[in-house]
Amino acid sequence: METAATTKNGEGRAAAPRTAGHGAEPVIRARRLSLTFETRDGPVHALKDVDLDISRGEFVSFIGPSGCGKTTFLRVVAGLEQPTGGEILVNGMTPDEARRARAYGYVFQAPGLLPWRTIAGNVRLPLEIMGFEKGEQERRIAEVLDLVDLSGFGRKYPWQLSGGMQQRASIARALSFDAGILLMDEPFGALDEIVRDHLNEQLIALWKKTDKTILFVTHSIPEAVYLSTRIVVMSPRPGRVIEVIENTLPEERPLDIRDTPEFLAIAHKVREGLRKGHAYD
Amino acid sequence: MTANSFWLAFAIGFWLAAFWANVKLAASAWSESRVVRLVVPALFGITLLVLWEGIVRGLSVPAVILPAPSQIAVRISQSLPILWEDFVQTFVKGALTGYLIGCAAAFLTAIVVDRSPFLQKGLLPVGNFVAALPIIGTAPILVMWFGFDWQSKAAVVTIMVFFPMLVNTVEGLRAAEPIQLELMQTYNATWWQTLTKLRLPAALPFIFNGLKISTTLALIGAIVAEFFGSPIRGMGFRISTEVGRLALDMVWAEIAVAALAGSLFYGAVAVVEKRLTFWHPSQRRG
């Protein structure tokens, strides 16, 4: 399985296209990817025959109702979950190899900051584990805290900050070791609308600055349309990809782009896709 | 008015006055101030002593039943060298040594147990069994094995503190949140890195729980073990012999020293806990 995939990937690397994922070596490549959990009530098909290529520099959102496998897909990419069928490659490696190579940063639903460490200390955690030298650690901490607008808060403890600031700190932590891929699992799900808008805006700016490949799980249609270059619509039982929607919005996206007809048209397409998913029930 | 009824009246009067003062203080504007927070329990303690003194004198309670606090205070001041010698023998050599050995051994065992699910299944029930052995039964055996001196007392204490410390540490090592553990996994952290940077700090509140419980167990173990054989010094030895000689003031003097030492020991551990687990919701201020 692995050898076949490696030859497929030996095509050489083209310049990373900003939007659609055609031509270049995909950062993530899934073929007939399936994952079945055995539970007491019988098998649960969290993922079924998922085919997906994601290119370098893309911002791909995964949207769908609970249980559609969007989080599971992210966890498979991260090597936190083992697929039961099909194949998946991350940077041309198995997810586990990619994890060992520290190919991605993962932002969970909750910030998961260590309360005994300051914000700077939390950002330092992966750097310590990966063996960056002291001066380099300090440089990177300052850099990523600045990226997420937390420059003055390095010495605070997580419990002294608001939920939104904590989540920003956890994003800084995921960025600190400069992995090419950022996996984000509903990072703003627990935050209120206003904070969420602000963080969405910051996230787009950050993505432009850093040129990372971002996989973003959400169940908010406006969030998906606002952020992504492509939107993957999924449906539950079994978890599968219903539709992949190219986002034709311009790269420059002020918050009020969400009131334009173009935005609403794409949002409508996503909603239609979600409805299609329901028809399978 | 006889001297007896005077003492009773004085004690009750003092009690009522202190009662009134404490109620006033607690309701006053300064009830949260540092001074008042020290004064209220101090006043309470003094009232207890005055009541005790007044009732013993007022009802002419024989010293064999209950000596007055003043008699105990006199005994303490006249027996400082003996009390110190007993303290060193029982507390420093017996209790403290056993405490350190027992807690360290339990901590290391917890980490070994954590690495091996097999040991977790095998060792924890055995530890449970050992903890269920009554100290009254095991202490004489340990005295036979390790001799009359403090070593056998330290052994008793080691066994007493081992299990609570083990259970608490094992529990604490499970305290890290799943997200935090998965985060370490995404960093490809080693077992050792995950242990030192995440799981041990997360376990600290539990570990300190074990350490605090163990302070009182250590003192009890060291004193009781001396009832089953000891050289002619030690707090347990003194208590058992002085009871035999009906010198109850000396027994109470030893009890006072034990209570003071135990409280300070517990307090010292609690202070360290406060400094190391400042981040825990139970320790955070404001």
Side-chain angles (χ1 to χ4, degrees):
Chain A
M1 222 200 288
E2 220 173 283
T3 39
T6 333
T7 41
K8 268 185 206 158
N9 275 301
E11 291 162 10
R13 194 176 289 184
R18 199 76 237 210
T19 45
H22 315 295
E25 171 198 328
V27 171
I28 287 156
R29 176 189 193 89
R31 287 292 175 274
R32 296 185 63 78
L33 184 71
S34 298
L35 197 158
T36 309
F37 292 111
E38 294 299 336
T39 69
R40 237 180 291 166
D41 305 327
V44 171
H45 300 281
L47 290 174
K48 187 146 176 60
D49 296 333
V50 171
D51 288 325
L52 194 65
D53 281 352
I54 295 172
S55 305
R56 198 167 304 279
E58 272 199 277
F59 194 130
V60 180
S61 286
F62 295 78
I63 192 164
S66 329
C68 71
K70 49 196 196 301
T71 294
T72 309
F73 183 77
L74 222 59
R75 291 175 61 82
V76 169
V77 170
L80 296 174
E81 216 78 72
Q82 296 307 314
T84 47
E87 63 169 309
I88 176 144
L89 291 174
V90 179
N91 284 343
M93 300 176 270
T94 67
D96 207 50
E97 286 166 350
R99 182 178 66 83
R100 286 169 205 284
R102 285 142 177 171
Y104 63 84
Y106 202 116
V107 180
F108 291 88
Q109 268 166 307
L113 299 167
L114 308 185
W116 52 88
R117 282 177 174 247
T118 60
I119 294 300
N122 269 286
V123 176
R124 185 181 286 111
L125 178 72
L127 302 175
E128 279 174 11
I129 288 169
M130 297 175 190
F132 287 84
E133 56 165 296
K134 267 267 176 280
E136 181 66 10
Q137 288 181 10
E138 295 307 322
R139 194 187 65 71
R140 280 169 182 259
I141 291 166
E143 188 186 307
V144 293
L145 283 183
D146 189 45
L147 267 180
V148 299
D149 241 350
L150 280 178
S151 281
F153 296 91
R155 295 181 145 185
K156 292 272 183 202
Y157 284 93
W159 29 275
Q160 295 170 321
L161 302 188
S162 69
M165 289 165 108
Q166 289 185 26
Q167 195 56 283
R168 259 147 64 197
S170 87
I171 293 171
R173 180 180 58 186
L175 292 171
S176 64
F177 49 100
D178 206 20
I181 306 169
L182 195 55
L183 306 174
M184 306 181 85
D185 183 7
E186 287 187 49
F188 310 140
L191 306 176
D192 68 64
E193 197 80 20
I194 296 162
V195 176
R196 199 174 179 150
D197 280 354
H198 181 59
L199 291 182
N200 279 341
E201 229 180 346
Q202 282 186 315
L203 184 58
I204 284 221
L206 194 144
W207 168 65
K208 281 189 192 147
K209 257 190 267 181
T210 55
D211 202 41
K212 290 191 187 307
T213 311
I214 300 185
L215 277 65
F216 188 95
V217 166
T218 178
H219 44 220
S220 154
I221 296 176
E223 191 171 64
V225 177
Y226 178 69
L227 290 172
S228 354
T229 56
R230 275 197 300 163
I231 301 154
V232 177
V233 182
M234 299 181 75
S235 89
R237 284 174 294 274
R240 68 170 101 198
V241 174
I242 292 297
E243 202 172 353
V244 180
I245 296 168
E246 296 283 338
N247 194 340
T248 50
L249 287 180
E251 238 186 72
E252 208 52 53
R253 293 179 191 176
L255 273 175
D256 48 20
I257 201 173
R258 295 178 301 180
D259 298 325
T260 62
E262 207 185 351
F263 184 96
L264 296 172
I266 296 168
H268 180 74
K269 249 165 115 181
V270 175
R271 192 166 291 119
E272 287 294 301
L274 284 168
R275 216 168 269 153
K276 239 193 294 177
H278 248 293
Y280 281 92
D281 268 7
Chain B
M1 191 150 85
T2 64
N4 277 9
S5 48
F6 164 76
W7 276 110
L8 274 180
F10 173 73
I12 291 167
F14 190 91
W15 173 50
L16 289 173
F19 196 124
W20 176 81
N22 259 357
V23 168
K24 280 279 164 201
L25 277 175
S28 73
W30 310 286
S31 65
E32 285 304 308
S33 80
R34 187 171 271 234
V35 179
V36 171
R37 269 201 269 177
L38 284 178
V39 166
V40 169
L43 200 55
F44 188 78
I46 290 169
T47 309
L48 272 184
L49 289 177
V50 170
L51 264 181
W52 177 354
E53 184 83 35
I55 288 170
V56 167
R57 286 180 184 244
L59 302 180
S60 307
V61 178
V64 174
I65 301 298
L66 187 66
S70 57
Q71 286 172 283
I72 298 168
V74 170
R75 172 51 57 209
I76 290 176
S77 66
Q78 286 172 352
S79 315
L80 281 178
I82 293 179
L83 290 171
W84 175 252
E85 190 190 8
D86 292 348
F87 170 79
V88 170
Q89 171 74 12
T90 305
F91 186 81
V92 179
K93 290 183 181 168
L96 211 54
T97 314
Y99 178 83
L100 292 176
I101 296 173
C103 289
F107 179 78
L108 294 175
T109 309
I111 287 172
V112 172
V113 164
D114 178 72
R115 282 235 78 171
S116 146
F118 169 74
L119 282 180
Q120 195 155 3
K121 289 213 178 76
L123 248 168
L124 286 183
V126 172
N128 205 337
F129 177 75
V130 172
L133 295 176
I135 183 202
I136 306 291
T138 49
I141 297 171
L142 289 164
V143 171
M144 297 283 258
W145 287 356
F146 296 102
F148 279 175
D149 211 347
W150 61 270
Q151 290 87 346
S152 62
K153 313 322 178 258
V156 169
V157 172
T158 301
I159 288 180
M160 273 187 91
V161 302
F162 183 83
F163 191 67
M165 185 64 191
L166 176 68
V167 170
N168 272 289
T169 311
V170 167
E171 192 62 35
L173 287 173
R174 298 192 189 121
E177 290 168 31
I179 280 188
Q180 295 169 335
L181 288 167
E182 286 191 331
L183 200 64
M184 298 304 269
Q185 215 182 328
T186 69
Y187 300 150
N188 195 25
T190 61
W191 176 83
W192 181 250
Q193 284 171 327
T194 307
L195 183 73
T196 53
K197 291 186 191 298
L198 170 60
R199 298 178 63 219
L200 278 183
L204 275 183
F206 291 83
I207 292 173
F208 271 103
N209 203 19
L211 287 174
K212 285 195 292 190
I213 294 170
S214 297
T215 56
T216 31
L217 287 178
L219 200 56
I220 295 171
I223 290 175
V224 170
E226 286 181 0
F227 294 171
F228 301 97
S230 67
I232 50 161
R233 59 178 175 275
M235 298 163 90
F237 163 80
R238 197 75 56 200
I239 288 171
S240 57
T241 47
E242 297 297 329
V243 163
R245 292 161 61 180
L246 296 183
L248 267 293
D249 53 347
M250 190 61 190
V251 174
W252 279 95
E254 291 284 357
I255 290 173
V257 172
L260 191 66
S263 305
L264 289 178
F265 190 15
Y266 185 93
V269 175
V271 165
V272 179
E273 176 188 30
K274 218 176 178 62
R275 292 196 60 162
L276 291 183
T277 64
F278 65 93
W279 49 271
H280 195 258
S282 66
Q283 303 283 353
R284 275 182 223 158
R285 301 206 42 201

